PDB file of all heavy atoms in Angstrom:
ATOM      1  N   GLN A 454      40.368 -23.507  35.473  1.00  0.00           N
ATOM      2  CA  GLN A 454      39.005 -23.853  35.892  1.00  0.00           C
ATOM      3  C   GLN A 454      38.801 -23.554  37.374  1.00  0.00           C
ATOM      4  O   GLN A 454      37.761 -23.019  37.775  1.00  0.00           O
ATOM      5  CB  GLN A 454      38.710 -25.325  35.597  1.00  0.00           C
ATOM      6  CG  GLN A 454      37.259 -25.699  35.763  1.00  0.00           C
ATOM      7  CD  GLN A 454      36.352 -24.878  34.849  1.00  0.00           C
ATOM      8  OE1 GLN A 454      36.593 -24.778  33.654  1.00  0.00           O
ATOM      9  NE2 GLN A 454      35.330 -24.270  35.416  1.00  0.00           N
ATOM     10  N   ARG A 455      39.780 -23.854  38.203  1.00  0.00           N
ATOM     11  CA  ARG A 455      39.673 -23.584  39.644  1.00  0.00           C
ATOM     12  C   ARG A 455      39.590 -22.079  39.909  1.00  0.00           C
ATOM     13  O   ARG A 455      38.802 -21.618  40.740  1.00  0.00           O
ATOM     14  CB  ARG A 455      40.846 -24.196  40.389  1.00  0.00           C
ATOM     15  CG  ARG A 455      40.752 -25.723  40.462  1.00  0.00           C
ATOM     16  CD  ARG A 455      41.931 -26.361  41.113  1.00  0.00           C
ATOM     17  NE  ARG A 455      42.093 -25.900  42.496  1.00  0.00           N
ATOM     18  CZ  ARG A 455      43.154 -26.154  43.232  1.00  0.00           C
ATOM     19  NH1 ARG A 455      44.148 -26.861  42.736  1.00  0.00           N
ATOM     20  NH2 ARG A 455      43.239 -25.706  44.458  1.00  0.00           N
ATOM     21  N   LEU A 456      40.417 -21.310  39.185  1.00  0.00           N
ATOM     22  CA  LEU A 456      40.393 -19.859  39.344  1.00  0.00           C
ATOM     23  C   LEU A 456      39.058 -19.292  38.879  1.00  0.00           C
ATOM     24  O   LEU A 456      38.453 -18.439  39.562  1.00  0.00           O
ATOM     25  CB  LEU A 456      41.546 -19.215  38.561  1.00  0.00           C
ATOM     26  CG  LEU A 456      41.625 -17.690  38.616  1.00  0.00           C
ATOM     27  CD1 LEU A 456      41.799 -17.206  40.058  1.00  0.00           C
ATOM     28  CD2 LEU A 456      42.754 -17.186  37.738  1.00  0.00           C
ATOM     29  N   ALA A 457      38.559 -19.738  37.722  1.00  0.00           N
ATOM     30  CA  ALA A 457      37.275 -19.263  37.203  1.00  0.00           C
ATOM     31  C   ALA A 457      36.143 -19.593  38.180  1.00  0.00           C
ATOM     32  O   ALA A 457      35.263 -18.752  38.423  1.00  0.00           O
ATOM     33  CB  ALA A 457      36.994 -19.874  35.840  1.00  0.00           C
ATOM     34  N   ASP A 458      36.163 -20.792  38.767  1.00  0.00           N
ATOM     35  CA  ASP A 458      35.137 -21.173  39.745  1.00  0.00           C
ATOM     36  C   ASP A 458      35.213 -20.278  40.990  1.00  0.00           C
ATOM     37  O   ASP A 458      34.176 -19.837  41.520  1.00  0.00           O
ATOM     38  CB  ASP A 458      35.280 -22.642  40.151  1.00  0.00           C
ATOM     39  CG  ASP A 458      34.914 -23.601  39.030  1.00  0.00           C
ATOM     40  OD1 ASP A 458      34.264 -23.158  38.051  1.00  0.00           O
ATOM     41  OD2 ASP A 458      35.276 -24.796  39.135  1.00  0.00           O
ATOM     42  N   ALA A 459      36.417 -19.994  41.463  1.00  0.00           N
ATOM     43  CA  ALA A 459      36.589 -19.143  42.652  1.00  0.00           C
ATOM     44  C   ALA A 459      36.085 -17.726  42.369  1.00  0.00           C
ATOM     45  O   ALA A 459      35.390 -17.121  43.210  1.00  0.00           O
ATOM     46  CB  ALA A 459      38.050 -19.119  43.078  1.00  0.00           C
ATOM     47  N   LEU A 460      36.412 -17.191  41.191  1.00  0.00           N
ATOM     48  CA  LEU A 460      35.964 -15.840  40.835  1.00  0.00           C
ATOM     49  C   LEU A 460      34.451 -15.796  40.640  1.00  0.00           C
ATOM     50  O   LEU A 460      33.805 -14.786  40.976  1.00  0.00           O
ATOM     51  CB  LEU A 460      36.695 -15.342  39.583  1.00  0.00           C
ATOM     52  CG  LEU A 460      38.176 -15.029  39.776  1.00  0.00           C
ATOM     53  CD1 LEU A 460      38.844 -14.747  38.433  1.00  0.00           C
ATOM     54  CD2 LEU A 460      38.369 -13.865  40.739  1.00  0.00           C
ATOM     55  N   LYS A 461      33.882 -16.870  40.115  1.00  0.00           N
ATOM     56  CA  LYS A 461      32.426 -16.942  39.934  1.00  0.00           C
ATOM     57  C   LYS A 461      31.731 -16.884  41.297  1.00  0.00           C
ATOM     58  O   LYS A 461      30.696 -16.218  41.461  1.00  0.00           O
ATOM     59  CB  LYS A 461      32.063 -18.224  39.186  1.00  0.00           C
ATOM     60  CG  LYS A 461      30.631 -18.278  38.756  1.00  0.00           C
ATOM     61  CD  LYS A 461      30.376 -19.474  37.865  1.00  0.00           C
ATOM     62  CE  LYS A 461      28.976 -19.406  37.294  1.00  0.00           C
ATOM     63  NZ  LYS A 461      28.724 -20.498  36.357  1.00  0.00           N
ATOM     64  N   LYS A 462      32.302 -17.560  42.301  1.00  0.00           N
ATOM     65  CA  LYS A 462      31.737 -17.527  43.648  1.00  0.00           C
ATOM     66  C   LYS A 462      31.788 -16.117  44.232  1.00  0.00           C
ATOM     67  O   LYS A 462      30.946 -15.734  45.043  1.00  0.00           O
ATOM     68  CB  LYS A 462      32.492 -18.494  44.571  1.00  0.00           C
ATOM     69  CG  LYS A 462      32.163 -19.943  44.316  1.00  0.00           C
ATOM     70  CD  LYS A 462      32.946 -20.842  45.252  1.00  0.00           C
ATOM     71  CE  LYS A 462      32.683 -22.303  44.905  1.00  0.00           C
ATOM     72  NZ  LYS A 462      33.484 -23.205  45.742  1.00  0.00           N
ATOM     73  N   LEU A 463      32.784 -15.354  43.815  1.00  0.00           N
ATOM     74  CA  LEU A 463      32.910 -13.973  44.299  1.00  0.00           C
ATOM     75  C   LEU A 463      32.009 -13.000  43.541  1.00  0.00           C
ATOM     76  O   LEU A 463      31.901 -11.833  43.912  1.00  0.00           O
ATOM     77  CB  LEU A 463      34.364 -13.507  44.204  1.00  0.00           C
ATOM     78  CG  LEU A 463      35.353 -14.219  45.119  1.00  0.00           C
ATOM     79  CD1 LEU A 463      36.771 -13.801  44.796  1.00  0.00           C
ATOM     80  CD2 LEU A 463      35.019 -13.920  46.577  1.00  0.00           C
ATOM     81  N   GLY A 464      31.399 -13.457  42.425  1.00  0.00           N
ATOM     82  CA  GLY A 464      30.462 -12.604  41.704  1.00  0.00           C
ATOM     83  C   GLY A 464      30.864 -12.297  40.271  1.00  0.00           C
ATOM     84  O   GLY A 464      30.203 -11.494  39.604  1.00  0.00           O
ATOM     85  N   LEU A 465      31.912 -12.885  39.755  1.00  0.00           N
ATOM     86  CA  LEU A 465      32.337 -12.633  38.377  1.00  0.00           C
ATOM     87  C   LEU A 465      31.522 -13.503  37.433  1.00  0.00           C
ATOM     88  O   LEU A 465      31.384 -14.700  37.651  1.00  0.00           O
ATOM     89  CB  LEU A 465      33.830 -12.953  38.217  1.00  0.00           C
ATOM     90  CG  LEU A 465      34.425 -12.610  36.852  1.00  0.00           C
ATOM     91  CD1 LEU A 465      34.503 -11.098  36.686  1.00  0.00           C
ATOM     92  CD2 LEU A 465      35.796 -13.225  36.686  1.00  0.00           C
ATOM     93  N   GLU A 466      30.972 -12.865  36.376  1.00  0.00           N
ATOM     94  CA  GLU A 466      30.175 -13.605  35.403  1.00  0.00           C
ATOM     95  C   GLU A 466      30.688 -13.297  34.005  1.00  0.00           C
ATOM     96  O   GLU A 466      30.777 -12.124  33.625  1.00  0.00           O
ATOM     97  CB  GLU A 466      28.703 -13.198  35.493  1.00  0.00           C
ATOM     98  CG  GLU A 466      28.071 -13.493  36.816  1.00  0.00           C
ATOM     99  CD  GLU A 466      26.702 -12.846  36.950  1.00  0.00           C
ATOM    100  OE1 GLU A 466      26.213 -12.254  35.965  1.00  0.00           O
ATOM    101  OE2 GLU A 466      26.130 -12.924  38.041  1.00  0.00           O
ATOM    102  N   PRO A 467      31.018 -14.342  33.198  1.00  0.00           N
ATOM    103  CA  PRO A 467      31.446 -14.080  31.818  1.00  0.00           C
ATOM    104  C   PRO A 467      30.262 -13.612  30.980  1.00  0.00           C
ATOM    105  O   PRO A 467      29.119 -14.002  31.208  1.00  0.00           O
ATOM    106  CB  PRO A 467      31.975 -15.433  31.335  1.00  0.00           C
ATOM    107  CG  PRO A 467      31.443 -16.447  32.271  1.00  0.00           C
ATOM    108  CD  PRO A 467      31.068 -15.764  33.542  1.00  0.00           C
ATOM    109  N   ILE A 468      30.561 -12.743  30.016  1.00  0.00           N
ATOM    110  CA  ILE A 468      29.529 -12.240  29.108  1.00  0.00           C
ATOM    111  C   ILE A 468      29.523 -13.131  27.877  1.00  0.00           C
ATOM    112  O   ILE A 468      30.557 -13.328  27.236  1.00  0.00           O
ATOM    113  CB  ILE A 468      29.818 -10.777  28.706  1.00  0.00           C
ATOM    114  CG1 ILE A 468      29.755  -9.877  29.941  1.00  0.00           C
ATOM    115  CG2 ILE A 468      28.849 -10.310  27.632  1.00  0.00           C
ATOM    116  CD1 ILE A 468      30.181  -8.451  29.667  1.00  0.00           C
ATOM    117  N   LYS A 469      28.360 -13.648  27.525  1.00  0.00           N
ATOM    118  CA  LYS A 469      28.214 -14.452  26.304  1.00  0.00           C
ATOM    119  C   LYS A 469      28.163 -13.483  25.141  1.00  0.00           C
ATOM    120  O   LYS A 469      27.513 -12.443  25.221  1.00  0.00           O
ATOM    121  CB  LYS A 469      26.925 -15.270  26.345  1.00  0.00           C
ATOM    122  CG  LYS A 469      26.813 -16.175  27.545  1.00  0.00           C
ATOM    123  CD  LYS A 469      27.172 -17.577  27.180  1.00  0.00           C
ATOM    124  CE  LYS A 469      26.826 -18.504  28.309  1.00  0.00           C
ATOM    125  NZ  LYS A 469      27.961 -19.049  28.979  1.00  0.00           N
ATOM    126  N   ALA A 470      28.834 -13.841  24.031  1.00  0.00           N
ATOM    127  CA  ALA A 470      28.855 -12.905  22.915  1.00  0.00           C
ATOM    128  C   ALA A 470      28.632 -13.588  21.568  1.00  0.00           C
ATOM    129  O   ALA A 470      27.777 -13.149  20.795  1.00  0.00           O
ATOM    130  CB  ALA A 470      30.170 -12.141  22.902  1.00  0.00           C
ATOM    131  N   LYS A 471      29.370 -14.623  21.262  1.00  0.00           N
ATOM    132  CA  LYS A 471      29.351 -15.218  19.928  1.00  0.00           C
ATOM    133  C   LYS A 471      27.953 -15.735  19.574  1.00  0.00           C
ATOM    134  O   LYS A 471      27.341 -16.475  20.335  1.00  0.00           O
ATOM    135  CB  LYS A 471      30.367 -16.358  19.836  1.00  0.00           C
ATOM    136  CG  LYS A 471      30.543 -16.875  18.424  1.00  0.00           C
ATOM    137  CD  LYS A 471      31.698 -17.857  18.322  1.00  0.00           C
ATOM    138  CE  LYS A 471      31.812 -18.327  16.893  1.00  0.00           C
ATOM    139  NZ  LYS A 471      32.938 -19.207  16.704  1.00  0.00           N
ATOM    140  N   GLY A 472      27.476 -15.301  18.372  1.00  0.00           N
ATOM    141  CA  GLY A 472      26.180 -15.742  17.876  1.00  0.00           C
ATOM    142  C   GLY A 472      25.003 -14.924  18.385  1.00  0.00           C
ATOM    143  O   GLY A 472      23.877 -15.111  17.952  1.00  0.00           O
ATOM    144  N   LEU A 473      25.247 -14.009  19.330  1.00  0.00           N
ATOM    145  CA  LEU A 473      24.187 -13.170  19.885  1.00  0.00           C
ATOM    146  C   LEU A 473      24.176 -11.812  19.187  1.00  0.00           C
ATOM    147  O   LEU A 473      25.181 -11.397  18.590  1.00  0.00           O
ATOM    148  CB  LEU A 473      24.398 -12.971  21.394  1.00  0.00           C
ATOM    149  CG  LEU A 473      24.353 -14.249  22.237  1.00  0.00           C
ATOM    150  CD1 LEU A 473      24.691 -13.932  23.686  1.00  0.00           C
ATOM    151  CD2 LEU A 473      22.974 -14.909  22.154  1.00  0.00           C
ATOM    152  N   PRO A 474      23.070 -11.073  19.272  1.00  0.00           N
ATOM    153  CA  PRO A 474      23.038  -9.730  18.683  1.00  0.00           C
ATOM    154  C   PRO A 474      24.037  -8.813  19.396  1.00  0.00           C
ATOM    155  O   PRO A 474      24.232  -8.911  20.611  1.00  0.00           O
ATOM    156  CB  PRO A 474      21.601  -9.251  18.921  1.00  0.00           C
ATOM    157  CG  PRO A 474      20.811 -10.474  19.227  1.00  0.00           C
ATOM    158  CD  PRO A 474      21.766 -11.474  19.798  1.00  0.00           C
ATOM    159  N   PHE A 475      24.649  -7.919  18.632  1.00  0.00           N
ATOM    160  CA  PHE A 475      25.614  -6.971  19.190  1.00  0.00           C
ATOM    161  C   PHE A 475      24.892  -6.012  20.132  1.00  0.00           C
ATOM    162  O   PHE A 475      23.851  -5.455  19.816  1.00  0.00           O
ATOM    163  CB  PHE A 475      26.284  -6.200  18.046  1.00  0.00           C
ATOM    164  CG  PHE A 475      27.205  -5.123  18.513  1.00  0.00           C
ATOM    165  CD1 PHE A 475      28.440  -5.418  19.042  1.00  0.00           C
ATOM    166  CD2 PHE A 475      26.811  -3.777  18.448  1.00  0.00           C
ATOM    167  CE1 PHE A 475      29.287  -4.415  19.487  1.00  0.00           C
ATOM    168  CE2 PHE A 475      27.650  -2.772  18.883  1.00  0.00           C
ATOM    169  CZ  PHE A 475      28.886  -3.086  19.402  1.00  0.00           C
ATOM    170  N   ASP A 476      25.458  -5.820  21.335  1.00  0.00           N
ATOM    171  CA  ASP A 476      24.933  -4.871  22.320  1.00  0.00           C
ATOM    172  C   ASP A 476      26.082  -3.943  22.700  1.00  0.00           C
ATOM    173  O   ASP A 476      27.046  -4.366  23.343  1.00  0.00           O
ATOM    174  CB  ASP A 476      24.416  -5.624  23.549  1.00  0.00           C
ATOM    175  CG  ASP A 476      23.843  -4.713  24.618  1.00  0.00           C
ATOM    176  OD1 ASP A 476      23.975  -3.469  24.507  1.00  0.00           O
ATOM    177  OD2 ASP A 476      23.261  -5.258  25.578  1.00  0.00           O
ATOM    178  N   PRO A 477      26.011  -2.674  22.321  1.00  0.00           N
ATOM    179  CA  PRO A 477      27.122  -1.761  22.590  1.00  0.00           C
ATOM    180  C   PRO A 477      27.362  -1.523  24.076  1.00  0.00           C
ATOM    181  O   PRO A 477      28.423  -1.018  24.453  1.00  0.00           O
ATOM    182  CB  PRO A 477      26.704  -0.470  21.885  1.00  0.00           C
ATOM    183  CG  PRO A 477      25.237  -0.554  21.686  1.00  0.00           C
ATOM    184  CD  PRO A 477      24.905  -2.017  21.631  1.00  0.00           C
ATOM    185  N   HIS A 478      26.439  -1.904  24.943  1.00  0.00           N
ATOM    186  CA  HIS A 478      26.615  -1.731  26.376  1.00  0.00           C
ATOM    187  C   HIS A 478      27.547  -2.795  26.973  1.00  0.00           C
ATOM    188  O   HIS A 478      28.157  -2.561  28.021  1.00  0.00           O
ATOM    189  CB  HIS A 478      25.253  -1.768  27.091  1.00  0.00           C
ATOM    190  CG  HIS A 478      24.382  -0.630  26.717  1.00  0.00           C
ATOM    191  ND1 HIS A 478      23.449  -0.708  25.709  1.00  0.00           N
ATOM    192  CD2 HIS A 478      24.319   0.646  27.197  1.00  0.00           C
ATOM    193  CE1 HIS A 478      22.844   0.440  25.589  1.00  0.00           C
ATOM    194  NE2 HIS A 478      23.361   1.293  26.485  1.00  0.00           N
ATOM    195  N   ILE A 479      27.617  -3.959  26.308  1.00  0.00           N
ATOM    196  CA  ILE A 479      28.462  -5.042  26.857  1.00  0.00           C
ATOM    197  C   ILE A 479      29.484  -5.557  25.848  1.00  0.00           C
ATOM    198  O   ILE A 479      30.349  -6.362  26.202  1.00  0.00           O
ATOM    199  CB  ILE A 479      27.597  -6.222  27.363  1.00  0.00           C
ATOM    200  CG1 ILE A 479      26.739  -6.801  26.232  1.00  0.00           C
ATOM    201  CG2 ILE A 479      26.765  -5.813  28.568  1.00  0.00           C
ATOM    202  CD1 ILE A 479      26.010  -8.071  26.591  1.00  0.00           C
ATOM    203  N   HIS A 480      29.397  -5.089  24.598  1.00  0.00           N
ATOM    204  CA  HIS A 480      30.336  -5.530  23.557  1.00  0.00           C
ATOM    205  C   HIS A 480      31.116  -4.327  23.039  1.00  0.00           C
ATOM    206  O   HIS A 480      30.564  -3.232  22.920  1.00  0.00           O
ATOM    207  CB  HIS A 480      29.591  -6.175  22.378  1.00  0.00           C
ATOM    208  CG  HIS A 480      28.800  -7.383  22.744  1.00  0.00           C
ATOM    209  ND1 HIS A 480      27.516  -7.591  22.289  1.00  0.00           N
ATOM    210  CD2 HIS A 480      29.093  -8.456  23.533  1.00  0.00           C
ATOM    211  CE1 HIS A 480      27.068  -8.738  22.756  1.00  0.00           C
ATOM    212  NE2 HIS A 480      28.010  -9.268  23.526  1.00  0.00           N
ATOM    213  N   HIS A 481      32.340  -4.561  22.711  1.00  0.00           N
ATOM    214  CA  HIS A 481      33.181  -3.544  22.082  1.00  0.00           C
ATOM    215  C   HIS A 481      33.571  -4.086  20.709  1.00  0.00           C
ATOM    216  O   HIS A 481      34.353  -5.031  20.609  1.00  0.00           O
ATOM    217  CB  HIS A 481      34.429  -3.277  22.940  1.00  0.00           C
ATOM    218  CG  HIS A 481      35.386  -2.323  22.326  1.00  0.00           C
ATOM    219  ND1 HIS A 481      35.166  -0.962  22.320  1.00  0.00           N
ATOM    220  CD2 HIS A 481      36.574  -2.517  21.699  1.00  0.00           C
ATOM    221  CE1 HIS A 481      36.172  -0.366  21.716  1.00  0.00           C
ATOM    222  NE2 HIS A 481      37.049  -1.283  21.327  1.00  0.00           N
ATOM    223  N   ALA A 482      33.014  -3.488  19.635  1.00  0.00           N
ATOM    224  CA  ALA A 482      33.280  -3.971  18.276  1.00  0.00           C
ATOM    225  C   ALA A 482      34.656  -3.478  17.838  1.00  0.00           C
ATOM    226  O   ALA A 482      34.918  -2.286  17.809  1.00  0.00           O
ATOM    227  CB  ALA A 482      32.214  -3.469  17.320  1.00  0.00           C
ATOM    228  N   VAL A 483      35.528  -4.425  17.501  1.00  0.00           N
ATOM    229  CA  VAL A 483      36.868  -4.064  17.022  1.00  0.00           C
ATOM    230  C   VAL A 483      37.027  -4.379  15.538  1.00  0.00           C
ATOM    231  O   VAL A 483      38.008  -3.963  14.922  1.00  0.00           O
ATOM    232  CB  VAL A 483      37.976  -4.771  17.835  1.00  0.00           C
ATOM    233  CG1 VAL A 483      37.986  -4.249  19.262  1.00  0.00           C
ATOM    234  CG2 VAL A 483      37.825  -6.270  17.809  1.00  0.00           C
ATOM    235  N   GLU A 484      36.026  -5.089  14.975  1.00  0.00           N
ATOM    236  CA  GLU A 484      36.075  -5.425  13.557  1.00  0.00           C
ATOM    237  C   GLU A 484      34.656  -5.665  13.071  1.00  0.00           C
ATOM    238  O   GLU A 484      33.801  -6.141  13.812  1.00  0.00           O
ATOM    239  CB  GLU A 484      36.925  -6.684  13.331  1.00  0.00           C
ATOM    240  CG  GLU A 484      37.137  -7.026  11.886  1.00  0.00           C
ATOM    241  CD  GLU A 484      38.030  -8.250  11.683  1.00  0.00           C
ATOM    242  OE1 GLU A 484      38.615  -8.750  12.665  1.00  0.00           O
ATOM    243  OE2 GLU A 484      38.109  -8.702  10.539  1.00  0.00           O
ATOM    244  N   MET A 485      34.433  -5.310  11.791  1.00  0.00           N
ATOM    245  CA  MET A 485      33.133  -5.549  11.169  1.00  0.00           C
ATOM    246  C   MET A 485      33.384  -6.310   9.881  1.00  0.00           C
ATOM    247  O   MET A 485      34.366  -6.045   9.190  1.00  0.00           O
ATOM    248  CB  MET A 485      32.415  -4.236  10.897  1.00  0.00           C
ATOM    249  CG  MET A 485      32.127  -3.447  12.157  1.00  0.00           C
ATOM    250  SD  MET A 485      31.486  -1.841  11.799  1.00  0.00           S
ATOM    251  CE  MET A 485      29.786  -2.078  12.156  1.00  0.00           C
ATOM    252  N   ALA A 486      32.497  -7.245   9.559  1.00  0.00           N
ATOM    253  CA  ALA A 486      32.655  -8.050   8.351  1.00  0.00           C
ATOM    254  C   ALA A 486      31.324  -8.138   7.623  1.00  0.00           C
ATOM    255  O   ALA A 486      30.290  -8.413   8.240  1.00  0.00           O
ATOM    256  CB  ALA A 486      33.150  -9.442   8.711  1.00  0.00           C
ATOM    257  N   GLU A 487      31.364  -7.872   6.305  1.00  0.00           N
ATOM    258  CA  GLU A 487      30.152  -7.991   5.498  1.00  0.00           C
ATOM    259  C   GLU A 487      29.856  -9.469   5.254  1.00  0.00           C
ATOM    260  O   GLU A 487      30.739 -10.219   4.857  1.00  0.00           O
ATOM    261  CB  GLU A 487      30.335  -7.278   4.155  1.00  0.00           C
ATOM    262  CG  GLU A 487      30.368  -5.782   4.269  1.00  0.00           C
ATOM    263  CD  GLU A 487      30.414  -5.098   2.901  1.00  0.00           C
ATOM    264  OE1 GLU A 487      30.219  -5.794   1.865  1.00  0.00           O
ATOM    265  OE2 GLU A 487      30.644  -3.890   2.869  1.00  0.00           O
ATOM    266  N   THR A 488      28.584  -9.842   5.478  1.00  0.00           N
ATOM    267  CA  THR A 488      28.175 -11.218   5.252  1.00  0.00           C
ATOM    268  C   THR A 488      26.663 -11.304   5.143  1.00  0.00           C
ATOM    269  O   THR A 488      25.943 -10.473   5.710  1.00  0.00           O
ATOM    270  CB  THR A 488      28.680 -12.158   6.374  1.00  0.00           C
ATOM    271  OG1 THR A 488      28.305 -13.481   6.054  1.00  0.00           O
ATOM    272  CG2 THR A 488      28.129 -11.780   7.718  1.00  0.00           C
ATOM    273  N   ASP A 489      26.192 -12.290   4.401  1.00  0.00           N
ATOM    274  CA  ASP A 489      24.757 -12.576   4.307  1.00  0.00           C
ATOM    275  C   ASP A 489      24.418 -13.868   5.047  1.00  0.00           C
ATOM    276  O   ASP A 489      23.264 -14.298   5.044  1.00  0.00           O
ATOM    277  CB  ASP A 489      24.340 -12.736   2.824  1.00  0.00           C
ATOM    278  CG  ASP A 489      24.352 -11.414   2.084  1.00  0.00           C
ATOM    279  OD1 ASP A 489      24.108 -10.379   2.739  1.00  0.00           O
ATOM    280  OD2 ASP A 489      24.608 -11.417   0.865  1.00  0.00           O
ATOM    281  N   GLU A 490      25.405 -14.474   5.680  1.00  0.00           N
ATOM    282  CA  GLU A 490      25.216 -15.766   6.343  1.00  0.00           C
ATOM    283  C   GLU A 490      24.476 -15.637   7.671  1.00  0.00           C
ATOM    284  O   GLU A 490      23.851 -16.590   8.127  1.00  0.00           O
ATOM    285  CB  GLU A 490      26.566 -16.457   6.547  1.00  0.00           C
ATOM    286  CG  GLU A 490      27.238 -16.814   5.238  1.00  0.00           C
ATOM    287  CD  GLU A 490      28.610 -17.437   5.430  1.00  0.00           C
ATOM    288  OE1 GLU A 490      28.949 -17.820   6.569  1.00  0.00           O
ATOM    289  OE2 GLU A 490      29.333 -17.532   4.440  1.00  0.00           O
ATOM    290  N   VAL A 491      24.591 -14.511   8.345  1.00  0.00           N
ATOM    291  CA  VAL A 491      23.908 -14.296   9.621  1.00  0.00           C
ATOM    292  C   VAL A 491      23.202 -12.943   9.563  1.00  0.00           C
ATOM    293  O   VAL A 491      23.441 -12.124   8.675  1.00  0.00           O
ATOM    294  CB  VAL A 491      24.892 -14.322  10.820  1.00  0.00           C
ATOM    295  CG1 VAL A 491      25.489 -15.697  10.998  1.00  0.00           C
ATOM    296  CG2 VAL A 491      25.958 -13.270  10.677  1.00  0.00           C
ATOM    297  N   GLU A 492      22.347 -12.675  10.553  1.00  0.00           N
ATOM    298  CA  GLU A 492      21.635 -11.404  10.606  1.00  0.00           C
ATOM    299  C   GLU A 492      22.607 -10.255  10.824  1.00  0.00           C
ATOM    300  O   GLU A 492      23.670 -10.429  11.413  1.00  0.00           O
ATOM    301  CB  GLU A 492      20.614 -11.417  11.750  1.00  0.00           C
ATOM    302  CG  GLU A 492      19.365 -12.183  11.429  1.00  0.00           C
ATOM    303  CD  GLU A 492      18.324 -11.968  12.515  1.00  0.00           C
ATOM    304  OE1 GLU A 492      18.159 -10.834  13.015  1.00  0.00           O
ATOM    305  OE2 GLU A 492      17.680 -12.966  12.861  1.00  0.00           O
ATOM    306  N   ASP A 493      22.192  -9.096  10.375  1.00  0.00           N
ATOM    307  CA  ASP A 493      22.966  -7.877  10.554  1.00  0.00           C
ATOM    308  C   ASP A 493      23.178  -7.627  12.049  1.00  0.00           C
ATOM    309  O   ASP A 493      22.285  -7.856  12.869  1.00  0.00           O
ATOM    310  CB  ASP A 493      22.193  -6.707   9.914  1.00  0.00           C
ATOM    311  CG  ASP A 493      23.030  -5.447   9.804  1.00  0.00           C
ATOM    312  OD1 ASP A 493      24.261  -5.574   9.683  1.00  0.00           O
ATOM    313  OD2 ASP A 493      22.449  -4.346   9.841  1.00  0.00           O
ATOM    314  N   HIS A 494      24.366  -7.176  12.432  1.00  0.00           N
ATOM    315  CA  HIS A 494      24.767  -6.853  13.804  1.00  0.00           C
ATOM    316  C   HIS A 494      24.768  -8.081  14.728  1.00  0.00           C
ATOM    317  O   HIS A 494      24.418  -7.988  15.903  1.00  0.00           O
ATOM    318  CB  HIS A 494      23.885  -5.743  14.386  1.00  0.00           C
ATOM    319  CG  HIS A 494      24.145  -4.425  13.742  1.00  0.00           C
ATOM    320  ND1 HIS A 494      23.487  -4.017  12.598  1.00  0.00           N
ATOM    321  CD2 HIS A 494      25.014  -3.432  14.049  1.00  0.00           C
ATOM    322  CE1 HIS A 494      23.922  -2.836  12.231  1.00  0.00           C
ATOM    323  NE2 HIS A 494      24.868  -2.447  13.100  1.00  0.00           N
ATOM    324  N   THR A 495      25.173  -9.217  14.187  1.00  0.00           N
ATOM    325  CA  THR A 495      25.351 -10.423  15.002  1.00  0.00           C
ATOM    326  C   THR A 495      26.847 -10.581  15.273  1.00  0.00           C
ATOM    327  O   THR A 495      27.686 -10.336  14.408  1.00  0.00           O
ATOM    328  CB  THR A 495      24.830 -11.675  14.261  1.00  0.00           C
ATOM    329  OG1 THR A 495      23.439 -11.497  13.993  1.00  0.00           O
ATOM    330  CG2 THR A 495      25.032 -12.933  15.091  1.00  0.00           C
TER     331      THR A 495
END
């Protein structure tokens, strides 16, 4: 937590991913799964 806070002060920002639409500019898809539970490309 201390390291993450220090890096955040320097300008590092984590990318939110889970539950959001897939964006090939910030996400790298390593696996795909067929499902009807969520929208396509989530």
